[in-house]
Amino acid sequence: MGKKGKKEKKGRGAEKTAAKMEKKVSKRSRKEETFLYNELYVYNIRKDAWTKVDIPSPPPRRCAHQAVVVPQGGGQLWVFGGEFASPNGEQFYHYKDLWVLHLATKTWEQVKSTGGPSGRSGHRMVAWKRQLILFGGFHESTRDYIYYNDVYAFNLDTFTWSKLSPSGTGPTPRSGCQMSVTPQGGIIIYGGYSKQRVKKDVDKGTRHSDMFLLKPEDGREDKWVWTRMNPSGVRPTPRSGFSVAMAPNHQTLFFGGVCDEEEEESLAGEFFNDLYFYDATRNRWFEGQLKGPKSEKKKRRRGRREESEGGSKLACGGTGTQVPVEVVKEVVAEDGTVVTIKQVLAAPGSAGQPQSEDEDSLEEAGSPTPGPCPRSNAMLAVKHGVLYVYGGMFEAGDRQVTLSDLHCLDLHRMEAWKALVEMDPETQEWLEETDSEEDSEEVEGAEGGDEDEDEDSGEERGAEDG
């Protein structure tokens, strides 16, 4: 994904309303552009290095899509949907195409199959047995918008779509939710975001915090049922833009996000970098608590609580009583603008999550690494019991900053974050608008868009209101 633009429809990766985005951007004295990508990168864990992989005929540039890896055929990466916006935001539309990257042969293939979901962004997709299960999302045109709560299945053997009609009361339409597969073979839907029109030109956003279980009824894969869940434990605070991965013990890991406070003429967000785990077997939430590195524990036993640098190793708390530490860093863009970023870090072993300010932080010069700063829409992956967190975005005042840092955390030890790639301030420049020729060039290269998106929106509306 690229930096969000002046007329971008979904400022926070499919979680901010267009009306609020327009009002907020109109008050800015400087201008942003939107850049979308279709590049493929591979991170080598042993070499600690990123490599760009150039494969011919990739999917068109996009963001807010879904990608799922399955073991079939020597390994496949499936990509569905998403959205396109030209640099100045004048051109915008949703995709409904399906692509597969064959990892063994390093070739892209567009899979054309009828009966699939309409064009959308912010949906969620998981691999379930030999199928891809897709839920929700939204579609927005110049005239209207719609949020979905439909469910589709794509058969990885026959390459065919089917729309599921689960019994029971399921989630209301939404985008940006958590979707994960349980060890028992069910699918969990949690949270998300939606908006509705309350009066002309005024929309009201909703951060959902409910949870549902979707599972086959009586073991039949052609018949599904929704069940409302009421998990116990310490739940995440309401938010959108959070990220999800599967932990080694089959628990669902939940990281970061943003809580937007919407008013008539403004939208401010509190960003998070806390960790939560959902145990489907016990139907219980747990807050991720870091223990702190062993060397720091020894310091605390010596009574060196005044040395707050030791606490800056953590992005979220553990169990203790040390005073929180505020880390401040200034990011200087190429245009000379200075953005001050702050983060309040809990000391090692302190209970609960840090009280973060709206403006995020980076590593303080000369201090240990505090871990990922608060952010939304980060990318997560778990490999060999280690959680990797890449990128995302946060806001400092009226500025949106796209991140490119990479951090990791050993989920078995749960001691401290390690910074693999620090954020480069030089990449955080504030870009000026370009002329319309570049916009036209971008749109011409984005084939496979949702040509009949308005028809799809009308067809789906009746089904989603129920």
Side-chain angles (χ1 to χ4, degrees):
M1 291 179 64
K3 299 182 176 67
K4 297 301 170 186
K6 183 182 68 172
K7 295 189 179 180
E8 231 279 56
K9 300 287 185 179
K10 312 294 165 314
R12 290 213 178 117
E15 269 109 21
K16 183 189 293 183
T17 69
K20 299 299 181 183
M21 185 63 181
E22 290 295 339
K23 289 175 182 176
K24 184 168 186 178
V25 173
S26 66
K27 300 173 71 174
R28 295 174 178 167
S29 59
R30 304 184 66 84
K31 302 173 183 178
E32 285 184 275
E33 290 182 321
T34 299
F35 288 97
L36 302 184
Y37 304 100
N38 60 351
E39 300 169 338
L40 178 66
Y41 285 84
V42 173
Y43 178 75
N44 188 302
I45 297 175
R46 292 184 178 180
K47 296 181 179 180
D48 187 20
W50 284 103
T51 302
K52 183 179 179 182
V53 182
D54 293 314
I55 300 177
S57 304
R61 304 165 189 245
R62 66 190 65 202
C63 67
H65 52 283
Q66 283 287 278
V68 172
V69 174
V70 298
Q72 280 87 341
Q76 298 171 341
L77 172 69
W78 288 85
V79 176
F80 176 83
E83 62 190 50
F84 169 83
S86 58
N88 68 356
E90 295 292 342
Q91 299 286 338
F92 175 86
Y93 50 84
H94 298 269
Y95 288 106
K96 61 175 182 180
D97 50 353
L98 180 66
W99 294 75
V100 58
L101 172 61
H102 300 281
L103 300 176
T105 59
K106 292 185 172 58
T107 55
W108 280 107
E109 176 189 359
Q110 182 175 3
V111 178
K112 297 183 178 181
S113 177
T114 60
S118 56
R120 61 187 66 193
S121 309
H123 50 287
R124 293 295 181 259
M125 186 169 71
V126 296
W128 185 85
K129 296 187 178 180
R130 301 184 68 83
Q131 299 183 75
L132 302 176
I133 307 295
L134 184 147
F135 169 82
F138 73 94
H139 177 282
E140 186 160 3
S141 66
T142 55
R143 298 187 299 272
D144 203 358
Y145 59 82
I146 180 173
Y147 282 77
Y148 300 112
N149 63 350
D150 48 3
V151 185
Y152 285 84
F154 181 79
N155 190 301
L156 294 170
D157 295 320
T158 62
F159 282 19
T160 55
W161 283 106
S162 60
K163 185 174 183 179
L164 306 183
S165 300
S167 59
T169 302
T172 56
R174 63 192 64 190
S175 70
C177 59
Q178 167 188 325
M179 187 178 188
S180 57
V181 179
T182 70
Q184 297 78 24
I187 297 174
I188 288 290
I189 299 292
Y190 168 76
Y193 177 89
S194 65
K195 65 178 180 178
Q196 59 183 356
R197 185 71 40 85
V198 294
K199 58 182 179 180
K200 186 177 180 181
D201 297 329
V202 177
D203 301 312
K204 180 182 178 181
T206 300
R207 295 185 303 273
H208 300 280
S209 57
D210 47 2
M211 179 179 286
F212 295 83
L213 174 67
L214 177 66
K215 64 179 181 179
E217 191 170 2
D218 301 326
R220 297 172 50 186
E221 295 187 11
D222 61 339
K223 193 174 182 181
W224 296 71
V225 59
W226 284 112
T227 303
R228 178 73 179 261
M229 304 291 286
N230 292 296
S232 59
V234 182
R235 304 186 185 191
T237 56
R239 66 189 71 182
S240 59
F242 50 81
S243 305
V244 175
M246 295 305 298
N249 53 4
H250 301 293
Q251 294 180 351
T252 301
L253 184 151
F254 175 111
F255 172 81
V258 59
C259 177
D260 285 329
E261 297 297 332
E262 299 185 24
E263 298 179 1
E264 188 67 23
E265 293 296 331
S266 66
L267 187 149
E270 178 184 4
F271 289 79
F272 302 96
N273 62 351
D274 45 2
L275 281 171
Y276 288 87
F277 295 87
Y278 173 70
D279 188 328
T281 303
R282 301 167 64 182
N283 191 27
R284 184 179 181 87
W285 282 104
F286 297 91
E287 186 176 9
Q289 297 180 335
L290 301 189
K291 302 173 184 176
K294 294 181 179 179
S295 61
E296 297 302 330
K297 293 178 183 178
K298 294 179 181 178
K299 288 183 181 179
R300 292 200 302 277
R301 284 196 290 268
R302 296 191 195 110
R304 298 176 59 182
R305 296 187 178 184
E306 298 81 8
E307 298 187 5
S308 58
E309 290 82 0
S312 66
K313 280 234 177 183
L314 297 184
C316 53
T319 58
T321 58
Q322 280 191 294
V323 178
V325 182
E326 182 179 272
V327 179
V328 180
K329 185 169 182 178
E330 292 183 342
V331 177
V332 181
E334 288 189 357
D335 63 4
T337 303
V338 178
V339 178
T340 301
I341 308 168
K342 300 178 182 178
Q343 179 183 1
V344 178
L345 300 173
S350 63
Q353 67 188 56
Q355 300 300 312
S356 303
E357 298 186 14
D358 288 350
E359 299 174 352
D360 293 346
S361 78
L362 295 175
E363 179 184 356
E364 187 176 30
S367 70
T369 304
C373 65
R375 64 191 65 197
S376 67
N377 299 295
M379 292 291 105
L380 304 187
V382 175
K383 185 73 172 179
H384 302 313
V386 177
L387 168 66
Y388 294 85
V389 177
Y390 170 78
M393 65 82 61
F394 72 92
E395 290 183 351
D398 282 342
R399 292 188 171 233
Q400 294 185 8
V401 179
T402 303
L403 302 169
S404 60
D405 51 348
L406 178 66
H407 299 259
C408 69
L409 173 67
D410 189 319
L411 295 176
H412 295 297
R413 297 186 177 186
M414 289 293 288
E415 291 182 351
W417 289 96
K418 178 182 178 182
L420 299 173
V421 179
E422 298 286 359
M423 191 175 81
D424 182 6
E426 296 299 322
T427 66
Q428 308 307 316
E429 61 176 315
W430 191 258
L431 299 175
E432 298 292 345
E433 269 195 327
T434 55
D435 55 31
S436 58
E437 291 182 4
E438 185 175 344
D439 298 343
S440 300
E441 189 175 310
E442 185 76 33
V443 174
E444 290 173 2
E447 299 174 356
D450 191 6
E451 298 87 353
D452 53 349
E453 59 183 17
D454 291 330
E455 293 181 10
D456 287 328
S457 178
E459 290 172 359
E460 294 293 330
R461 189 179 308 279
E464 301 313 320
D465 290 341

